Amino acid sequence: MNGAQLLVSCLEREGVEEVWGYPGGAIMPVYDALLGSGIKHYLTRHEQGAAFAAQGFARSTGRVGVCMATSGPGATNLVTGIADAHLDSIPLVAITGQVPRPLMGTDAFQEVDIFGISLPIVKHSYLVEDVDDIPAIVHEAFELAQQGRPGPVLIDFPKDVSLAKAQARPLAKSVEQSRPSTPEAVSLARARELLREAKQPIVYAGGGVPKAGAVEALRDFVHVTKIPVVHTLQGLGSIPGDHELFLGMLGMHGTKAANRAVQECDLLVAVGVRFDDRATGKLAEFAPNASVIHMDIDPAELSKLREANVALRGDIVNALGALTVPLEIDPWRNCCLEYKRDGVFNYDAPFEVIYAPKLLHDLAQAASEDTYICCDVGQHQMWVAQHYSFSHPSRHLTSGGLGTMGFGLPAAIGVQCAHPDATVINVSGDGSIMMNIQELATIRRYNLPVKVLLFDNSALGMVRQWQELFFHNRESEVDLSDNPDFRTVAEAFGIPARHVSRADETEEAIHMLCHEPGPLFIHAHIDRRANVWPLVPPNANNGQMMHEPAPAQAK
Amino acid sequence: MSSEFDVELSPVPGALQRLLGVVRRRGFTILSLSAVRDDTGDGYRVAITVSGARRALTLRNHLANLVDVRSVNLLSCTQASCA
């Protein structure tokens, strides 16, 4: 058995059944070893697509996603996907081929120091220097990717090591992971005290909730305490979108109710969040009157940006369980519910053109709860967050921390590979879709029934919106009126496509998205002038939201 | 404001780069640094003094998160948050 065969055996031992990647010179022994293995390899058309497909698998299953590429450009093309996984704490193992060790450091063909390049964006990384280290490295890489705060791990694999004869054999997979420790009793007691004293508490919950397996614990906590809830982008669905006490997403494009309640609260129960700037607005004026109970598995997040009155490091499930007690906060809860009623979105756009928020709202009503929505980045991403009601956070895949245009389509491929019978919809924009449109070929190759809902406003909409609002409407390099005919493009890839431009065409489009058995590309033309509302302007606090101008004032 | 750390590192490739990278990315400037093999020859002992406006305790936690860091102690700190 050579090193490459040992690597593949180790992946099998870790339970890997599918990987996404792109072959090349330095990783050819691994691709040779994949032949006849129990692992299905999905060939993407760009290494970035492989990294995001692996992320789609990981985000939708909670398991480690695996991607691979060759040395040099193959490795650097993975970098954006690895960074994205790092910022959103996604368990990913990226395997890169490397030139043979005698050539390392000589500027050899397709040599790049991916180990050094990736240092700031991985949880850990390995350069395999001894063929018999492979079992321990692979085993540790998978454990690290998943344990504690998840993240990406890189294994750089020189070609000569992959061809060397190995004596070692794969290690047994860990049976189960140990749960993180329970927060200290004294801290829990202090947190209970703060909860009892609070008159106006709010739960501020983020992506750490699903990653900790704490969705049910959070739902129980909210059910008993009856504290109103706001979510970050990554937390959406932890409390179902249609739950009475869910006030919406907070932050830059949050709801009026969510931001108002947070600004007025006297206690912020922060669960699996990192006080990201898109959520907090002007940090110094965020929830200015609130004490903070902060629960997170990563001690580096506690008091990183906002000093916690009580920091609960460790298992969120246990922490929430220890704090689940009834509270007397009826007046505050009723106040929040009034805020929610006041801020309800209006979907009665009196135009014939397609109104993206209404289409997404209607899609959420029509789609099954198990539908996966994979967003790209831009206006459509925020419209999804605002107007699509999620039943569980695993159903919403979005690039939050890095905000990577081009994430959605390959991520949808990874989700569909993991859930062949599920409805998987990539909601994209005409800017984002062009970042990884080559992956339509991957959909065709594997006959994946991925759906694409493309909102086309012939512009980089979010940038255009900011230029309109904050740069005196001076448009700079946002015009995409020379877009290709997306319907023709999709059909050229062998994907059935449909163009819709009128509001009365959306019902049928939604029906097709939910019920067509195979892949489908819906190209929806929307108004170029449409903006995402409401909006917290830069350097403002979340209480200083801008709202959509009244129709008479609208441009 | 300066902070002094004592760090034990595994003797593996990239360990020192990771450590220094975290210090830089998290907004601290290195005032002094020494790295020597520890008494057993099984690791590195790094003494590092940094300055920065952010919380030294948070930097300690970021360093502790590194897989190659066996231990990290904040020996001294002039910030109020360290009191």
Side-chain angles (χ1 to χ4, degrees):
Chain A
M1 179 181 282
N2 67 24
Q5 291 162 336
L6 179 58
L7 174 78
V8 170
S9 294
C10 290
L11 294 176
E12 290 178 310
R13 188 62 66 93
E14 293 298 327
V16 174
E17 294 175 343
E18 49 271 290
V19 301
W20 292 264
Y22 203 105
I27 202 167
M28 284 178 68
V30 176
Y31 273 80
D32 185 68
L34 282 170
L35 293 172
S37 76
I39 296 174
K40 180 171 178 58
H41 177 275
Y42 290 91
L43 177 71
T44 56
R45 295 305 176 95
H46 189 288
E47 291 87 350
Q48 188 181 110
F52 285 138
Q55 272 208 47
F57 173 89
R59 288 177 186 246
S60 66
T61 64
R63 294 161 57 197
V64 178
V66 181
C67 58
M68 56 178 60
T70 193
S71 63
T76 55
N77 281 343
L78 290 179
V79 165
T80 300
I82 295 171
D84 192 279
H86 181 63
L87 280 174
D88 282 350
S89 305
I90 305 302
L92 184 78
V93 168
I95 299 166
T96 48
Q98 182 54 278
V99 301
R101 284 171 301 163
L103 289 179
M104 288 178 67
T106 68
D107 307 319
F109 176 66
Q110 291 193 330
E111 183 197 0
V112 74
D113 177 18
I114 191 63
F115 183 94
I117 287 171
S118 63
L119 278 176
I121 54 166
V122 294
K123 189 170 176 183
H124 196 56
S125 46
Y126 301 89
L127 171 64
V128 184
E129 296 186 273
D130 184 329
V131 67
D132 289 321
D133 288 344
I134 291 170
I137 286 174
V138 172
H139 188 66
E140 192 173 291
F142 274 76
E143 285 203 342
L144 283 174
Q146 298 172 87
Q147 77 181 19
R149 181 177 184 169
V153 178
L154 176 94
I155 301 175
D156 198 25
F157 198 33
K159 189 172 185 180
D160 61 315
V161 179
S162 70
L163 292 171
K165 188 173 170 58
Q167 302 297 326
R169 291 296 175 261
L171 301 177
K173 185 177 189 241
S174 302
V175 177
E176 60 181 55
Q177 295 215 323
S178 58
R179 281 207 71 84
S181 59
T182 300
E184 293 176 351
V186 64
S187 299
L188 288 169
R190 176 66 186 133
R192 276 193 292 271
E193 199 177 312
L194 283 180
L195 275 169
R196 274 195 302 270
E197 292 168 354
K199 299 286 186 286
Q200 301 181 179
I202 286 289
V203 171
Y204 156 39
V209 171
K211 288 183 181 69
V215 170
E216 288 308 315
L218 181 70
R219 291 178 180 184
D220 290 345
F221 176 79
V222 170
H223 178 73
V224 172
T225 63
K226 298 201 167 14
I227 301 176
V229 182
V230 303
H231 277 321
T232 67
L233 183 66
Q234 298 291 357
L236 290 172
S238 296
I239 297 298
D242 59 359
H243 193 287
E244 181 192 24
L245 292 173
F246 176 56
L247 303 180
M249 184 172 73
L250 83 164
M252 181 172 280
H253 290 294
T255 65
K256 189 176 171 183
N259 281 336
R260 189 171 179 186
V262 169
Q263 288 304 99
E264 293 179 7
C265 75
D266 65 358
L267 176 64
L268 204 55
V269 183
V271 190
V273 295
R274 54 188 178 90
F275 291 83
D276 171 72
D277 55 276
R278 286 295 187 269
T280 65
K282 191 174 185 180
L283 185 64
E285 297 172 15
F286 177 64
N289 305 312
S291 300
V292 174
I293 299 171
H294 192 174
M295 311 177 193
D296 204 281
I297 196 167
D298 184 354
E301 289 301 338
L302 301 171
S303 298
K304 182 180 82 175
L305 290 166
R306 170 73 177 257
E307 189 74 29
N309 298 78
V310 178
L312 299 176
R313 173 191 174 185
D315 190 356
I316 290 176
V317 173
N318 285 342
L320 285 168
L323 301 179
T324 301
V325 293
L327 302 175
E328 298 294 332
I329 54 167
D330 287 357
W332 168 243
R333 183 171 54 254
N334 291 334
C335 176
C336 288
L337 295 178
E338 187 61 34
Y339 291 166
K340 187 175 176 179
R341 282 189 289 273
D342 280 352
V344 70
F345 287 112
N346 179 11
Y347 297 107
D348 300 327
F351 310 115
E352 288 185 359
V353 296
I354 291 171
Y355 182 47
K358 176 171 169 49
L359 196 162
L360 290 166
H361 177 73
D362 292 347
L363 176 62
Q365 304 293 315
S368 78
E369 284 192 348
D370 292 331
T371 299
Y372 291 87
I373 302 293
C374 303
C375 291
D376 271 299
V377 170
Q379 287 182 310
H380 65 277
Q381 179 191 31
M382 293 298 103
W383 282 324
V384 166
Q386 292 175 329
H387 304 286
Y388 196 98
S389 177
F390 290 96
S391 62
H392 195 278
S394 64
R395 300 302 188 268
H396 178 218
L397 286 82
T398 193
S399 170
L402 196 62
T404 313
M405 294 170 70
F407 167 88
L409 184 62
I413 288 171
V415 176
Q416 193 77 75
C417 294
H419 310 277
D421 298 326
T423 300
V424 182
I425 304 174
N426 164 221
V427 179
S428 190
D430 51 318
S432 286
I433 195 72
M434 291 290 274
M435 294 275 185
N436 271 319
I437 200 163
Q438 78 285 345
E439 299 309 335
L440 290 175
T442 309
I443 291 173
R444 178 71 274 159
R445 168 182 281 250
Y446 298 104
N447 293 315
L448 299 170
V450 171
K451 311 295 189 293
V452 178
L453 171 57
L454 171 63
F455 288 116
D456 182 357
N457 56 9
S458 300
L460 294 173
M462 188 61 92
V463 183
R464 186 208 59 72
Q465 172 174 340
W466 275 58
Q467 289 175 350
E468 174 194 333
L469 297 175
F470 307 120
F471 290 86
H472 309 291
N473 204 21
R474 285 161 52 84
E475 291 195 1
S476 177
E477 301 297 329
V478 294
D479 179 67
L480 299 181
S481 58
D482 56 353
N483 274 326
D485 178 341
F486 284 109
R487 179 176 169 179
T488 301
V489 169
E491 288 174 344
F493 279 101
I495 310 294
R498 176 86 181 262
H499 172 78
V500 291
S501 58
R502 298 194 321 270
D504 62 6
E505 295 176 303
T506 60
E507 186 176 341
E508 186 184 355
I510 288 170
H511 182 82
M512 293 173 75
L513 287 168
C514 297
H515 298 292
E516 282 291 314
L520 177 68
F521 192 108
I522 297 285
H523 174 234
H525 183 261
I526 62 170
D527 190 337
R528 188 180 192 275
R529 298 163 299 177
N531 285 341
V532 181
W533 301 109
L535 163 71
V536 178
N539 302 314
N541 72 53
N542 283 352
Q544 298 169 312
M545 302 186 81
M546 296 169 65
H547 297 277
E548 185 167 16
Q553 300 168 313
K555 293 177 182 174
Chain B
M1 285 176 283
S2 66
S3 309
E4 184 183 4
F5 294 90
D6 173 60
V7 186
E8 276 186 75
L9 277 182
S10 299
V12 295
L16 198 57
Q17 287 104 307
R18 285 184 217 280
L19 178 82
L20 301 182
V22 168
V23 170
R24 178 186 59 77
R25 286 199 305 282
R26 296 299 176 178
F28 291 83
T29 303
I30 296 172
L31 299 177
S32 71
L33 171 74
S34 79
V36 294
R37 280 281 199 185
D38 63 16
D39 296 339
T40 63
D42 187 35
Y44 288 107
R45 193 110 205 173
V46 180
I48 182 167
T49 305
V50 302
S51 70
R54 294 181 180 168
R55 292 174 81 247
L57 290 170
T58 299
L59 177 60
R60 184 196 64 186
N61 289 334
H62 283 304
L63 294 175
N65 277 345
L66 293 174
V67 173
D68 297 335
V69 169
R70 291 173 176 163
S71 71
V72 54
N73 292 304
L74 180 55
L75 300 178
S76 68
C77 172
T78 59
Q79 295 179 350
S81 60
C82 296

